[in-house]
Amino acid sequence: MSFEIRSFIKPLIQLEGVWKAAMAKALITGITGFAGSHLAEWILNNKKDVEVYGTYRLRSRMDHILHILNDIKTVECELKDSHSVDEMINAVKPDIIFHLAAQSFVPTSWNSPAETLLVNQIGQVNLFEAVLKYGLDCTIQIACSSEEYGHVYPNEVPITEDNPLRPLSPYAVSKVGQDFLGYQYFKSYGLKVIRTRTFNHTGPRRGEAFVTSNFAKQIAEIEKGRKAPILYVGNLQAKRDFTDVRDVVRAYWLAVERGIPGEVYNIASGTTYSIQEMLEKLLRLSPAKIKIQQDQSRMRPSDVEILLGDFDKFHRQTGWKPEIPFEQTLQDLLDYWRNRV
Ligand code: GDD
């Protein structure tokens, strides 16, 4: 396997009479969130010559990054506001951008479709325009999604990047828009955009609205006697391809270091479980006796039936493959909730 490695090493500069290499600046939009906080941690632990910057909003909860606040630089920024994004990009002048901030919960996108499109698509346009305005030569990874594939036929799995996109929610449409904007800004202006279509990912700090975290939290609450032993669920027939978030953020780094600008890559595990199977795995990790009950309000107007990704293109380009077994991810997630409820 051979791949080119993009170097972010900067020229030497003189600081107080001493020659030093200026550090490359990596900016993470959404650093206070789930993947953002894990990515910041990964860079701090593995890339000593990179400074980590991250955007937050006034109402962002900081608990995921409290332990690293002294090691990163945070900048307030509202992605929907072009002025705010412009000021932030001018202040940071990043060499690398990981664009992870988004309205990322599918059901919210039915309640707030316009807001979802605004944050995800216009937010990204504001970012791209600011990078162009200041003439920055930076590499930009954008977090697209397997939800873009949407309605997938049984003979189309495992899904490659060439599969038709048939989005089934406003969220999925917003991600198709982000994806194609990434392609278009690359073609029109040569912006070095690398698109990652990440399949479901989970692990400690996963927001409690998402299925793995929601079920794990309910189990932890039942174990502590804080909740009657009934676990509420939605559609258990859907199938998803889960990767550990810690494997995913390593993939994001490799995407900017070894990925080809303009290209799109699936990031997936290459295995799929029904939500029912995932639930059974979680239940096996608990001694509690739990009844399962369907909650109609958790059903969606249309749900993606199956996601199973082919990550061969990304593997060939970067050498990445997932390393953390799903059982370990679920154990860590359940322990995370046991320590919090
Ligand atoms: N959230 C939730 N809660 N989902 C449930 C529940 C429940 O109680 N019961 C069943 N499900 C089913 C959903 O209907 C869906 O089929 C599946 O579990 C996964 O739901 P989520 O965890 O909410 O994730 P998602 O697949 O809709 O979207 C996630 O993955 C995308 C990548 O494929 C999100 O992380 C997106 O941001 C991401 O792009």
Side-chain angles (χ1 to χ4, degrees):
M1 194 173 305
S2 74
F3 25 71
E4 242 177 70
I5 299 186
R6 189 167 294 115
S7 167
F8 298 109
I9 295 175
K10 312 261 286 183
L12 292 178
I13 49 166
Q14 210 171 16
L15 279 178
E16 292 162 3
V18 182
W19 285 96
K20 284 190 173 170
M23 285 172 68
K25 295 176 185 174
L27 170 73
I28 303 172
T29 68
I31 198 168
T32 60
F34 169 54
S37 62
H38 280 283
L39 177 59
E41 237 170 46
W42 190 91
I43 299 174
L44 291 173
N45 290 333
N46 293 281
K47 300 285 160 187
K48 299 295 173 208
D49 51 355
V50 175
E51 272 180 308
V52 179
Y53 289 73
T55 67
Y56 69 98
R57 287 169 303 162
L58 258 192
R59 61 179 179 281
S60 298
R61 289 178 54 183
M62 304 300 260
D63 35 337
H64 293 345
I65 57 166
L66 276 183
H67 61 299
I68 52 170
L69 262 186
N70 288 336
D71 306 314
I72 60 177
K73 295 190 170 66
T74 52
V75 195
E76 192 190 338
C77 176
E78 171 53 70
L79 278 171
K80 291 183 284 186
D81 185 329
S82 61
H83 175 74
S84 173
V85 177
D86 188 292
E87 297 239 301
M88 181 276 291
I89 287 293
N90 189 25
V92 178
K93 298 215 166 60
D95 301 289
I96 309 165
I97 299 178
F98 296 97
H99 181 38
L100 308 185
Q103 192 305 90
S104 64
F105 189 46
V106 172
T108 297
S109 77
W110 275 291
N111 295 334
S112 309
E115 173 75 4
T116 301
L117 294 169
L118 192 61
V119 175
N120 295 2
Q121 298 187 348
I122 305 305
Q124 185 175 285
V125 166
N126 289 339
L127 198 62
F128 285 175
E129 287 295 329
V131 169
L132 287 177
K133 175 172 166 187
Y134 293 104
L136 303 182
D137 177 30
C138 67
T139 307
I140 308 174
Q141 173 261 347
I142 58 172
C144 305
S145 168
S146 55
E147 276 289 302
E148 292 172 51
Y149 296 116
H151 187 67
V152 172
Y153 294 106
N155 65 345
E156 291 176 328
V157 293
I159 307 163
T160 68
E161 291 80 356
D162 297 328
N163 214 70
L165 305 179
R166 307 182 192 100
L168 290 176
S169 65
Y171 166 79
V173 172
S174 80
K175 286 286 157 180
V176 172
Q178 280 190 248
D179 193 322
F180 285 173
L181 282 164
Y183 176 77
Q184 178 254 312
Y185 272 70
F186 167 72
K187 289 301 253 185
S188 304
Y189 309 111
L191 219 57
K192 291 192 276 180
V193 178
I194 295 162
R195 297 168 286 154
T196 49
R197 286 187 194 145
T198 310
F199 286 62
N200 291 58
H201 43 298
T202 187
R205 302 187 204 140
R206 189 32 148 170
E208 63 183 271
F210 299 88
V211 71
T212 46
S213 217
N214 188 279
F215 291 180
K217 185 181 180 203
Q218 291 191 61
I219 292 172
E221 284 173 336
I222 292 168
E223 285 176 350
K224 293 227 166 128
R226 302 247 165 97
K227 176 179 158 25
I230 302 171
L231 193 146
Y232 293 98
V233 300
N235 173 18
L236 295 182
Q237 307 316 312
K239 292 182 172 164
R240 290 292 185 272
D241 177 328
F242 293 100
T243 304
D244 192 289
V245 64
R246 294 159 288 194
D247 278 330
V248 166
V249 298
R250 185 168 49 83
Y252 288 165
W253 179 269
L254 290 172
V256 299
E257 193 182 62
R258 303 176 184 186
I260 299 175
E263 282 298 329
V264 61
Y265 301 102
N266 281 345
I267 295 176
S269 74
T271 41
T272 191
Y273 295 102
S274 68
I275 301 303
Q276 168 94 40
E277 287 167 327
M278 182 277 292
L279 172 59
E280 283 164 9
K281 280 179 185 293
L282 266 179
L283 290 172
R284 279 199 288 276
L285 299 175
S286 172
K289 294 242 167 308
I290 298 175
K291 234 179 89 186
I292 309 301
Q293 195 167 308
Q294 195 174 70
D295 166 4
Q296 256 330 96
S297 71
R298 291 171 184 248
M299 302 300 279
R300 303 176 178 189
S302 51
D303 202 1
V304 171
E305 279 174 39
I306 180 164
L307 289 174
L308 167 57
D310 180 332
F311 65 92
D312 190 51
K313 179 178 173 187
F314 190 61
H315 174 68
R316 278 186 280 111
Q317 185 62 33
T318 66
W320 178 87
K321 57 180 188 330
E323 286 170 359
I324 303 173
F326 189 37
E327 288 69 19
Q328 183 65 53
T329 307
L330 291 179
Q331 180 72 62
D332 292 349
L333 177 61
L334 185 56
D335 290 342
Y336 169 79
W337 281 115
R338 282 174 173 152
N339 290 328
R340 282 177 77 97
V341 297

